[in-house]
Amino acid sequence: LIGTSAAIRSIEEEVACASRSNAKVRITGESGVGKEVVARMIHQRSQRSRSALVTINCAGVPDTLLESELFGHVRGSFTDAHRDKKGWLEQAHNGTIFMDEIGEMSLRMQALLLRFLENGEIQRVGSDRTQSIVDVRVIAATNRNLLARVADNTFREDLYYRLNVIHVPIPPLRDRREDIPCLFEHF
């Protein structure tokens, strides 16, 4: 993190706290404020740093493909599924998965993610049984107001509280102008 503002110091403290824990983290802020940078810092400073950090953009993957990418699939489950494939959650076993733009996820995918968060079980698309149980730390980020989305029934309240164990808000640069010289010097 680059800057000397009180906001940067506060983020550093939250990163240190989150790094010592395996708790789920929700990072919020406008687009471009550095949510992924903070997620990487938390992972790199954690006990999981020797395992994978898998990063996904939930808004960039169509809902029909997101389930297969997250949970994997078995051979023959759909056209072009010529072999079994591990999903991103299995690939992140013992590591961290960073789910950017979590607020864009459909209600159906939210329900599937919630079920995974409750028990760690992976059921690949097309399978009739649980494939494995994985240990993955979840860091989620959004530029959306998830409480407002909960109020208008576009985001599950139970998932919101499951993800909101540690909250790291990142203010925009316009609210921490004293960091501009540091950023200018860095870049």
Side-chain angles (χ1 to χ4, degrees):
L1 290 176
I2 299 167
T4 58
S5 66
I8 291 293
R9 287 192 306 275
S10 177
I11 293 167
E12 283 280 0
E13 290 173 13
E14 290 293 334
V15 166
C17 175
S19 298
R20 291 188 300 267
S21 165
N22 276 319
K24 292 161 193 69
V25 178
R26 182 175 65 103
I27 304 170
T28 57
E30 296 176 4
S31 294
V33 295
K35 296 182 292 289
E36 186 169 348
V37 170
V38 170
R40 287 186 183 285
M41 288 176 63
I42 292 169
H43 173 73
Q44 290 167 351
R45 296 178 183 181
S46 75
Q47 293 179 349
R48 296 177 179 265
S49 63
R50 292 191 174 148
S51 297
L53 169 65
V54 176
T55 300
I56 63 166
N57 180 340
C58 297
V61 181
D63 195 45
T64 53
L65 182 58
L66 187 57
E67 181 179 2
S68 173
E69 292 297 330
L70 271 177
F71 299 102
H73 61 261
V74 296
R75 181 176 174 244
S77 58
F78 54 85
T79 306
D80 292 332
H82 301 295
R83 60 178 173 79
D84 288 0
K85 179 184 174 214
K86 285 184 178 182
W88 290 325
L89 290 167
E90 282 183 272
Q91 292 173 26
H93 182 60
N94 291 326
T96 304
I97 190 160
F98 172 56
M99 304 180 79
D100 198 8
E101 303 299 343
I102 193 88
E104 305 304 319
M105 193 178 275
S106 72
L107 287 170
R108 179 180 172 282
M109 284 306 303
Q110 291 174 39
L112 292 171
L113 178 60
L114 181 64
R115 183 172 186 281
F116 166 75
L117 293 175
E118 290 172 352
N119 58 28
E121 292 180 352
I122 299 290
Q123 184 171 344
R124 293 180 184 166
V125 174
S127 178
D128 58 356
R129 62 183 173 81
T130 299
Q131 297 299 128
S132 61
I133 296 177
V134 296
D135 175 21
V136 176
R137 186 202 197 153
V138 175
I139 300 176
T142 185
N143 61 5
R144 302 280 186 169
N145 180 337
L146 291 185
L147 277 178
R149 299 206 60 175
V150 166
D152 68 12
N153 294 318
T154 58
F155 199 84
R156 293 180 60 111
E157 183 176 22
D158 46 2
L159 180 58
Y160 172 81
Y161 287 109
R162 184 69 65 147
L163 293 171
N164 198 42
V165 179
I166 297 174
H167 177 218
V168 182
I170 304 175
L173 189 56
R174 70 178 169 275
D175 293 345
R176 49 187 180 89
R177 292 186 185 272
E178 61 271 32
D179 292 334
I180 292 173
C182 297
L183 288 165
F184 180 78
E185 185 66 32
H186 176 76
F187 290 110

